[in-house]
Amino acid sequence: MRLFVIIVLIMPGIVFCGQKDPYAAKRDRMVDTQIIARGISDSGTLQAMRKVPRHLFVPALYASEAYSDRPLPIGYSQTISQPFIVAYMTQLVRPSRGKTALEIGTGSGYQAAVLAEIVDTVYSIEIIPELARESAARLKVLGYRNIVTKYGDGYLGWPEHAPFDIIIVTAAADHIPQLLREQLAEGGRLVMPVGNPAFVQELVVLSKRNGRIREQRLEPVRFVPLRRLKEN
Ligand code: SAH
């Protein structure tokens, strides 16, 4: 009798766990066909992409599209990047435990969550107050305690928490802000889309060694423009 009661009590839990994430299979397929197939091999990045529930970062209307091979609107004329681009930028900054990251352009919070699965702490800044509020609430509900968000102009970086081992800028400008270069730690890496914000940009990676910065120009990409707050 007692055994029966225990089984009855735990069965719904097992059934519930099994159905907890109806998108898990789609997410695995996304990683296999869009990310590994295009050459991403960093194990931390792949694990994070398999884990973070991207469908919870897009408007409910687009949940069924969350794992498709394209960017999606997140409101306020902004977009969440295509899954491959998130994985590519994540691998480029060489994330690992023990590192601290700064993201400019929290948007939905998805890129921050992917990084937070790997590094110790992610600081993320968003310039649209509504998006800043929504993503902070979402990340809290999902239990990301190692992401610190704020509303503000990321052009200025976040000097109180600098230097950063990783800086990811997810909005485009025609140059890399000087303050972000300065806030990059020794041995650190920064990735940002640089070029004409209205057209196509190039992904640029900066790496700092012995105080000197090396610059690499990579793939053409398209991002929404980096904005500025008027008072700055
Ligand atoms: N990383 C996001 C995608 C963001 S789209 C995600 O994973 O969903 C780019 C974001 O950068 C937009 O939300 C935009 O409002 C924000 N942004 C633009 N200029 C900014 C600035 N100067 N500081 C902080 N955020 C900025």
Side-chain angles (χ1 to χ4, degrees), residues 71-85:
L72 290 171
I74 53 171
Y76 315 95
S77 310
Q78 306 303 314
T79 54
I80 179 175
S81 299
Q82 178 190 5
F84 171 74
I85 291 291

Side-chain angles (χ1 to χ4, degrees), residues 31-182:
V31 172
D32 294 339
T33 61
Q34 299 172 34
I35 294 171
I36 296 178
R38 292 186 186 134
I40 304 297
S41 59
D42 175 62
S43 64
T45 301
L46 295 175
Q47 259 175 38
M49 297 295 294
R50 285 198 198 279
K51 184 165 172 203
V52 179
R54 183 171 161 98
H55 60 282
L56 300 180
F57 288 82
V58 300
L61 179 68
Y62 293 110
S64 64
E65 284 295 306
Y67 298 98
S68 48
D69 193 13
R70 62 184 184 98
L72 290 171
I74 53 171
Y76 315 95
S77 310
Q78 306 303 314
T79 54
I80 179 175
S81 299
Q82 178 190 5
F84 171 74
I85 291 291
V86 174
Y88 186 48
M89 289 174 82
T90 305
Q91 173 170 279
L92 279 173
V93 293
R94 304 203 182 139
S96 62
R97 210 171 290 160
K99 291 188 177 175
T100 298
L102 172 68
E103 179 196 25
I104 311 305
T106 318
S108 68
Y110 179 68
Q111 172 74 76
V114 168
L115 274 174
E117 292 288 344
I118 314 170
V119 306
D120 280 10
T121 310
V122 179
Y123 295 92
S124 185
I125 308 175
E126 171 56 52
I127 204 166
I128 298 180
E130 293 85 353
L131 277 177
R133 218 175 304 128
E134 286 170 23
S135 52
R138 174 179 296 121
L139 291 166
K140 190 168 178 216
V141 168
L142 292 175
Y144 284 99
R145 294 209 209 108
N146 60 338
I147 302 177
V148 185
T149 57
K150 77 165 179 178
Y151 156 74
D153 187 350
Y155 189 88
L156 309 171
W158 200 333
E160 294 86 341
H161 298 292
F164 303 98
D165 305 300
I166 290 168
I167 300 181
I168 288 194
V169 185
T170 62
D174 60 6
H175 66 282
I176 299 178
Q178 180 58 26
L179 286 167
L180 296 186
R181 290 173 186 265
E182 289 170 12

